[in-house]
Amino acid sequence: MRKLAGFEFPGVGPEITGHQAIVDMTGAEELRMGWNTTPSGIYTYGPMPGRVITVELDGPPADRETPVTAAGLQHSIRTVSGVPVVVTAVHSATRFTDNTRQVPDYRKGRVLVAGDAAHVHSPFGGQGLNLGVGDAVNLGWKLSGVVRGWAPEGLLDTYTAERHPIGAWVLEWTRAQVALMRTDARSRALRAVIAELLASRDGATGVFEKISGVQHRYDLGGGHPLIGAATPDIELADGTRLGAHFTDAEAVLLDLTDSAELRSRAAGWSGRVRVVTAKPTQPRELSALLVRPDGCVAWAADGGDLDGLEESLGRWFGARSAQ
């Protein structure tokens, strides 16, 4: 579909050949469990019997369309591990590379791309699932607004603006992960430095918050530090949490000060934005929070200040309805 629609797909070609498989084999008792780096690549064995991953660093496969065979897997395992295993049966097998590419614009007229149609990268770190789901969640509510007729002009164009930088970041990190896997002396030295950083609390926290997506945010403007970030799941005094109020794909305007003025200003967006009035269990400077259906904070206020609320409601949820 991407090719038929005319999307460009620039990026960096593959340098590795990876296999992931579940097999029956003899000689596996000599394989070491877990991740292992050898002079000729990387392999992991376990935790279940027969599960094996190999990474050969000497280039991409000659033909990615060729079926993965027992003979091919056996050769890869032997090459990387040095163990003379014999693969007798293949239950499942996939081949992968570190090909990293991304379309420059996620929209071309009436065609929008998400997930692997928008970007491809190596599977290391398992970041592709979060990335693809994030695309879908960001795009879904905006498409819904267009279909229902209330979407403001240009809402669909914010999809690329918000998601493309996140995709580019993931591609950059996956390329860095492959660079750390290489077995030459310089890469080994770099891997030792990164391992030392990860051994520290701050280093490990920073890296894993990045990989998990916790630190990702959209540049939406506005002066409040929460704008553009994922909404905090605030514990409310009625025994619920903010996350429990996202049940029908509407945006949520959280009113923590029981403000009649806030409810009055938001009334014109009823059906698109649900006002939740509740007190937090812990005292907060935060007084109100507008959260889009994708969980992104679109507007926030401290101390009861409502400046910018209606502007933000119109920006994301269209014109005010007649009262």
Side-chain angles (χ1 to χ4, degrees), residues 21-297:
I22 298 176
V23 301
D24 293 335
M25 56 184 164
T26 60
E29 61 275 3
E30 296 184 43
L31 294 173
R32 296 191 299 272
M33 299 291 286
W35 285 88
N36 303 278
T37 300
T38 73
S40 54
I42 298 168
Y43 79 92
T44 180
Y45 181 59
M48 59 185 292
R51 181 180 181 273
V52 62
I53 298 173
T54 64
V55 181
E56 298 172 71
L57 303 169
D58 57 354
D63 182 3
R64 289 197 62 185
E65 303 303 319
T66 302
V68 179
T69 64
L73 287 170
Q74 177 176 291
H75 175 77
S76 183
I77 297 169
R78 289 183 175 189
T79 298
V80 174
S81 70
V83 177
V85 300
V86 176
V87 175
T88 57
V90 178
H91 299 288
S92 68
T94 58
R95 182 191 292 113
F96 62 89
T97 73
D98 59 332
N99 184 34
T100 53
R101 300 186 182 278
Q102 183 180 28
V103 299
D105 193 321
Y106 288 5
R107 181 183 185 186
K108 187 178 285 292
R110 292 172 59 84
V111 180
L112 297 105
V113 292
D116 289 351
H119 37 69
V120 295
H121 55 85
S122 80
F124 298 118
Q127 298 170 82
L129 177 58
N130 274 353
L131 185 58
V133 170
D135 290 347
V137 172
N138 184 285
L139 178 59
W141 73 272
K142 296 173 182 178
L143 281 173
S144 175
V146 171
V147 171
R148 296 181 182 184
W150 58 254
E153 183 70 24
L155 182 62
L156 281 181
D157 293 328
T158 67
Y159 170 54
T160 293
E162 293 173 3
R163 293 302 300 172
H164 193 280
I166 305 297
W169 176 87
V170 171
L171 266 63
E172 193 75 359
W173 270 57
T174 59
R175 284 193 288 264
Q177 287 173 279
V178 172
L180 288 171
M181 292 179 177
R182 295 174 186 144
T183 56
D184 62 275
R186 290 180 177 83
S187 296
R188 290 199 304 272
L190 181 59
R191 189 160 60 247
V193 170
I194 297 299
E196 186 175 342
L197 290 174
L198 289 176
S200 69
R201 182 184 181 89
D202 289 345
T205 299
V207 168
F208 288 108
E209 283 186 350
K210 277 280 192 178
I211 290 178
S212 69
V214 171
Q215 290 187 0
H216 292 169
R217 62 185 303 137
Y218 303 139
D219 183 8
L220 305 184
H224 198 283
L226 283 176
I227 295 176
T231 182
D233 192 15
I234 299 171
E235 187 176 355
L236 303 174
D238 62 3
T240 67
R241 304 185 74 92
L242 178 55
H245 295 276
F246 290 88
T247 57
D248 54 7
E250 284 184 333
V252 168
L253 178 56
L254 177 64
D255 171 17
L256 294 173
T257 60
D258 195 9
S259 169
E261 182 181 357
L262 179 146
R263 293 192 294 274
S264 175
R265 291 194 187 190
W269 285 270
S270 177
R272 288 167 275 168
V273 178
R274 178 150 49 96
V275 177
V276 174
T277 300
K279 293 187 179 298
T281 56
Q282 300 294 329
R284 287 176 172 266
E285 186 177 358
L286 183 71
S287 58
L289 198 65
L290 175 61
V291 185
R292 304 185 324 189
D294 60 352
C296 174
V297 177

